[in-house]
Amino acid sequence: MQIEHQFPCSAVQFFNFMARRIAQDIQIETDKKLTIAEIHQGMKYDKKVLVSEKKQRIGKAQVAVFDKPGHVQLRVEMFDGTQVIDTQCAALGKDRCQVTYSEEFLPSNLEKKLAIASFSWMGRKNNKKKLQRLMEQWETEIRQLYGE
């Protein structure tokens, strides 16, 4: 599932926002406090992934791409596949940027791939709404952070 959204900040500010979110995630998952300068491509940590309201899994998270200011990708390897969260940012002038955000699950085998394909149409509308709410939440945080 993919969504595009314009944010009221520069591409560099958005990248720093994403780096801050990764640092917060690492602190929540590992109790390690990191600065955004310490985040780098290839960094790995254990991450809890919520799969339903009552169920979570432990996965191995890796910052797969960390290319300032345009691209951040997090991959979470689990026993049944890999969750890929990809964020790409393009400048639209000094104080605006266009973000393309996507989440994709890559199943580990054909059986899981077929099961996901048969049920994916049911969740598309809810996923689109979830991603739209996430973008709105991020925009609110960015406005508070960078003062617009």
Side-chain angles (χ1 to χ4, degrees):
M1 182 65 53
Q2 178 177 302
I3 191 166
E4 291 186 355
H5 192 84
Q6 287 187 16
F7 287 93
C9 62
S10 70
V12 170
Q13 287 173 322
F14 186 82
F15 185 87
N16 289 339
F17 171 77
M18 291 304 298
R20 199 172 284 114
R21 291 188 66 82
I22 292 169
Q24 289 170 345
D25 189 46
I26 291 171
Q27 183 175 0
I28 289 166
E29 299 294 343
T30 68
D31 288 330
K32 266 192 206 170
K33 189 165 184 159
L34 300 173
T35 65
I36 61 172
E38 295 172 301
I39 306 298
H40 58 84
Q41 187 165 315
M43 180 173 261
K44 295 180 181 182
Y45 61 99
D46 288 339
K47 177 169 180 54
K48 292 181 199 93
V49 178
L50 195 63
V51 292
S52 70
E53 286 183 31
K54 298 178 183 176
K55 205 173 180 185
Q56 61 183 7
R57 295 185 189 143
I58 301 289
K60 299 284 185 194
Q62 177 180 15
V63 180
V65 178
F66 199 68
D67 187 20
K68 190 173 190 168
H71 194 187
V72 176
Q73 185 182 92
L74 184 69
R75 299 176 72 86
V76 183
E77 305 279 337
M78 295 172 284
F79 76 94
D80 58 348
T82 303
Q83 180 75 30
V84 179
I85 301 164
D86 193 75
T87 309
Q88 297 186 45
C89 183
L92 293 177
K94 188 178 141 208
D95 294 324
R96 292 204 69 72
C97 64
Q98 175 80 27
V99 171
T100 303
Y101 175 89
S102 64
E103 292 182 358
E104 181 180 15
F105 183 74
L106 307 172
S108 59
N109 63 41
L110 181 61
E111 183 181 321
K112 288 182 183 11
K113 190 179 280 189
L114 292 173
I116 288 169
S118 67
F119 288 108
S120 67
W121 64 271
M122 296 168 66
R124 278 195 197 279
K125 190 173 182 181
N126 287 341
N127 285 341
K128 194 74 165 176
K129 286 180 183 178
K130 180 188 95 168
L131 293 182
Q132 185 60 45
R133 283 192 306 271
L134 178 65
M135 295 299 106
E136 290 166 2
Q137 175 190 340
W138 285 3
E139 184 171 342
T140 299
E141 290 176 31
I142 285 170
R143 287 181 188 281
Q144 291 170 349
L145 189 62
Y146 298 119
E148 186 177 292

